[in-house]
Amino acid sequence: DSTLDVGTVSFTARAVVTAIAVAVATLVLTGVTGFILDREIVPRLQLRPGAGYAVVTFTRWSMLIIGAALTLIALGIDMAKVTLLAGALSVGIGFGLQNVVNNFVSGLILIVERPVGVGDVIERGTLSGTVTRIGIRSSTVRTGQGAEVIVPNAELVSKEVVNWTRSDRQRRYDIDVGVAPGSEPEQVMRLLVEAAKDVPEIMAHPAPRAMFKGFGDSSLNFTLLAWVPTVDVGLEAQNALRVAILRKLDGAGIAIPFP
């Protein structure tokens, strides 16, 4: 067989062809397997949102890593030398590519442990939105305004993240209302609860509740606590709640004071 010399390493033509065939087969098999999992198998498993994405992503990366190792073996490269080379490079990686490696490891943590998954509604600092993609280095969060924000995976693993849909998609909204001094607190609380019950998006269980929060400079302050079955209807529910509250208070002759 003819040989190909690369520095001090020689490869036979047969080994090169075999390695290329293994690499191509790995790519094709990974693509086909990912497609079948994503379109046929995962939708039938009834997994929680984001879990199917994690399964498909982890499977693809596992197959690619195994395929890369098999390609090197097909070339006739001693894996022990590759291990030594990887150990030598790890020092340089630790200094020069520390953030990249950190994000890579964080991506694996997100895929395996799933503290945050695709479809989850999260809040981190001033950023709030829905996770649309979890990659190996970074993830994508789509805000309510439609912006796509690229967040390094390390930010989602090492810092505090509020996940509004970790266990379920229910959410409680607190609507603050101030009324004129002299209003009857019991009447105001009753009207607030009635307003919530008039909104279709509000859940009957847990039932909406109204609380007398305290005394303002020119108002009596109340808070309406109401649950929605899914955070996806949150904006519509809050808007409908405020309109219903205003109508109830106006109908009862209760004014909302302004400084």
Side-chain angles (χ1 to χ4, degrees):
D1 293 340
S2 59
T3 60
L4 173 65
D5 296 326
V6 179
T8 59
V9 181
S10 298
F11 303 106
T12 65
R14 180 178 297 176
V16 173
V17 172
T18 302
I20 293 175
V22 172
V24 172
T26 298
L27 294 176
V28 173
L29 186 60
T30 300
V32 172
T33 302
F35 179 83
I36 293 176
L37 283 173
D38 192 32
R39 300 295 181 87
E40 298 294 334
I41 298 178
V42 169
R44 299 178 182 177
L45 297 179
Q46 297 181 346
L47 301 174
R48 68 179 296 272
Y53 179 88
V55 170
V56 174
T57 302
F58 189 75
T59 301
R60 284 173 173 167
W61 278 97
S62 299
M63 294 180 66
L64 288 174
I65 292 173
I66 294 173
L70 293 177
T71 301
L72 294 176
I73 293 175
L75 280 173
I77 296 178
D78 187 358
M79 295 305 294
K81 295 180 179 179
V82 174
T83 303
L84 292 175
L85 179 61
L89 289 176
S90 63
V91 178
I93 291 175
F95 288 101
L97 299 176
Q98 184 176 5
N99 289 335
V100 174
V101 174
N102 187 19
N103 288 321
F104 176 80
V105 174
S106 298
L108 293 179
I109 293 174
L110 290 175
I111 292 173
V112 175
E113 292 189 358
R114 293 185 289 111
V116 174
V118 173
D120 283 348
V121 179
I122 67 169
E123 184 177 327
R124 186 186 67 84
T126 58
L127 174 64
S128 178
T130 303
V131 179
T132 58
R133 183 189 68 89
I134 295 179
I136 289 299
R137 188 194 66 82
S138 64
S139 299
T140 303
V141 178
R142 184 177 177 84
T143 67
Q145 292 77 26
E148 300 280 352
V149 182
I150 309 302
V151 182
N153 288 332
E155 296 286 321
L156 299 178
V157 172
S158 61
K159 295 187 177 180
E160 182 179 281
V161 176
V162 178
N163 191 335
W164 288 102
T165 54
R166 171 65 176 166
S167 301
D168 55 57
R169 301 190 71 82
Q170 293 182 6
R171 181 169 176 178
R172 192 188 78 190
Y173 289 101
D174 301 352
I175 308 296
D176 295 324
V177 181
V179 301
S183 304
E184 289 290 337
E186 293 82 1
Q187 181 187 18
V188 174
M189 289 187 290
R190 185 181 70 255
L191 292 173
L192 293 179
V193 172
E194 290 177 359
K197 292 180 179 179
D198 290 341
V199 177
E201 292 86 357
I202 300 302
M203 298 175 61
H205 302 284
R209 294 185 299 128
M211 300 177 62
F212 184 11
K213 298 290 289 186
F215 305 91
D217 293 336
S218 58
S219 65
L220 302 180
N221 298 326
F222 296 81
T223 299
L224 174 63
L225 313 177
W227 288 85
V228 294
T230 171
V231 69
D232 303 299
V233 299
L235 290 177
E236 295 86 347
Q238 292 180 82
N239 182 69
L241 272 175
R242 293 188 176 97
V243 172
I245 289 171
L246 185 60
R247 288 176 177 171
K248 285 289 184 181
L249 295 179
D250 284 344
I254 298 176
I256 297 178
F258 297 94

